[in-house]
Amino acid sequence: MAINKNSNIYIIIYTIVMVVIVGTLLAFLATSLKPQQEANVLNEQKVSIMKAFGEAELNFDDVVTIGRITDGEFVAVEEGDVAAIFSLLGNRKALTEAQNELPIFQLEKEGTTKYVLPIVGKGLWGDIWGYVALQQAEDNIVITGIVMDHAGETPGLGAEIATDKVQSMFTGKKLYNAEGEFAVRMQKGGAQNEHQVDAITGGTKTCDGVNAMLATSIGKYESFLRATEAEAQADTECCGECCADEANVELNNEEE
C-alpha cells in the first residue's frame, strides 16, 4: 500500500520522528561538549581576573591566591572549594545576593599586594558585570584595573563600558573621599576630582548602573578593605617611629 505523503497523519508522524532525532542529537552534543564548555568558561574567568590585575601575561594558577571574605577577614580557600568559587562567579544572581563568604583574589608581586573583587549590576537593558583590582596606596585604596562586560547595552553608547578606553580611565581612582565615603563614579559632564571618571555621552543609564554596581559590590567588602587600610597606616606610622628612633641613635653616636 502506497504511503500518502500529503496526508495529515504522515506529516504528524514525520514531524514527531524528526523532533525526536534532532532532540536526541542535541542532547548528545550538549552532554559531550559540556566539559569543554565549562573549561572555556573557567579560562575566560581567569583571563578576565588577570586582565583586571594588569598581569595578563602571567598564568593565573601560578600567581593568584583564591580566597573568601568571611566576617570581614581574608581566608584562603582549600583546593576542593575552588570550583565552588568559580561556580558562584558564573551565577550573577547568587553573586548579587551574597553577603558573606565573598570571593576574592590576591596577587603579591614585588612587595605589593593587589586584590580583585567580582562586581555585578544592572545596566539599561540587562546585566553588567566584571572584576575590579584594588591596592592600598598611601592614605587611600585605589583602583589599579577594571574589566567590565554586559549582556545587551547599546552599541556605541552603553556598550562602551566593555572597551579599554573607558576601563583605563578608572586606573588610579581613589575609593574614598575626605569624609571616608565611597566616591568612585562615572560623572556626567566630566570628571571633577580624583574619584570620578568621565561618563559616556548618551549612555547615562548604563553609567548609573556602573555606579550602583561599584558602590554595592565593593561595599560588601568594606570591612575588609577598611581593616587593610588601617593596617597599612599602622605599619606606616610604626615605620616612621622606627626610622626616627634609628636617626636619634645615629645622631647620639655621632655626638659621642
Side-chain angles (χ1 to χ4, degrees):
M1 181 174 113
I3 299 175
N4 182 6
K5 294 184 178 180
N6 294 321
S7 68
N8 291 336
I9 294 177
Y10 177 85
I11 293 173
I12 291 172
I13 293 175
Y14 179 84
T15 302
I16 292 174
V17 171
M18 291 303 296
V19 168
V20 170
I21 292 174
V22 172
T24 301
L25 287 173
L26 290 175
F28 171 77
L29 289 173
T31 302
S32 60
L33 294 176
K34 186 176 180 180
Q36 182 177 345
Q37 292 171 339
E38 291 177 344
N40 289 340
V41 170
L42 177 60
N43 182 65
E44 183 180 355
Q45 290 171 329
K46 291 181 177 180
V47 167
S48 295
I49 292 169
M50 294 310 297
K51 184 178 179 182
F53 272 127
E55 303 288 353
E57 74 283 358
L58 299 181
N59 183 280
F60 177 97
D61 297 325
D62 293 337
V63 296
V64 174
T65 300
I66 304 171
R68 288 192 181 100
I69 298 302
T70 303
D71 298 327
E73 296 184 358
F74 179 94
V75 179
V77 302
E78 306 249 337
E79 186 175 347
D81 294 329
V82 170
I85 292 289
F86 285 101
S87 177
L88 180 59
L89 294 181
N91 187 339
R92 290 191 286 274
K93 184 176 185 296
L95 194 58
T96 299
E97 296 173 350
Q99 297 298 324
N100 200 12
E101 302 292 322
L102 303 169
I104 188 170
F105 304 89
Q106 181 190 68
L107 187 150
E108 296 182 348
K109 183 181 178 183
E110 298 175 353
T112 64
T113 301
K114 296 180 183 179
Y115 296 96
V116 160
L117 324 177
I119 50 178
V120 287
K122 293 289 184 181
L124 175 60
W125 301 113
D127 290 343
I128 54 177
W129 64 89
Y131 302 93
V132 59
L134 305 175
Q135 179 182 340
Q136 176 66 42
E138 298 179 354
D139 61 345
N140 212 316
I141 295 174
V142 300
I143 294 176
T144 61
I146 191 170
V147 173
M148 293 185 287
D149 208 342
H150 62 93
E153 299 306 287
T154 307
L157 298 175
E160 292 295 295
I161 63 170
T163 65
D164 291 338
K165 177 182 177 181
V166 170
Q167 294 171 11
S168 64
M169 292 191 295
F170 283 89
T171 301
K173 297 302 177 181
K174 296 182 178 181
L175 288 195
Y176 304 113
N177 60 21
E179 290 72 39
E181 302 165 332
F182 185 84
V184 174
R185 61 179 290 106
M186 301 189 78
Q187 181 64 36
K188 185 176 181 180
Q192 301 172 12
N193 54 47
E194 59 191 354
H195 313 287
Q196 297 177 353
V197 168
D198 295 346
I200 300 168
T201 302
T204 301
K205 291 298 183 181
T206 302
C207 293
D208 289 344
V210 169
N211 293 339
M213 172 176 68
L214 292 173
T216 301
S217 298
I218 296 177
K220 294 180 181 181
Y221 295 80
E222 184 172 10
S223 58
F224 167 74
L225 295 174
R226 296 292 191 182
T228 302
E229 186 178 27
E231 182 179 349
Q233 291 176 354
D235 289 343
T236 300
E237 292 173 359
C238 179
C239 180
E241 292 175 358
C242 291
C243 290
D245 291 341
E246 290 176 0
N248 289 334
V249 169
E250 291 178 0
L251 180 60
N252 291 334
N253 289 338
E254 290 177 358
E255 290 177 350
E256 291 175 359

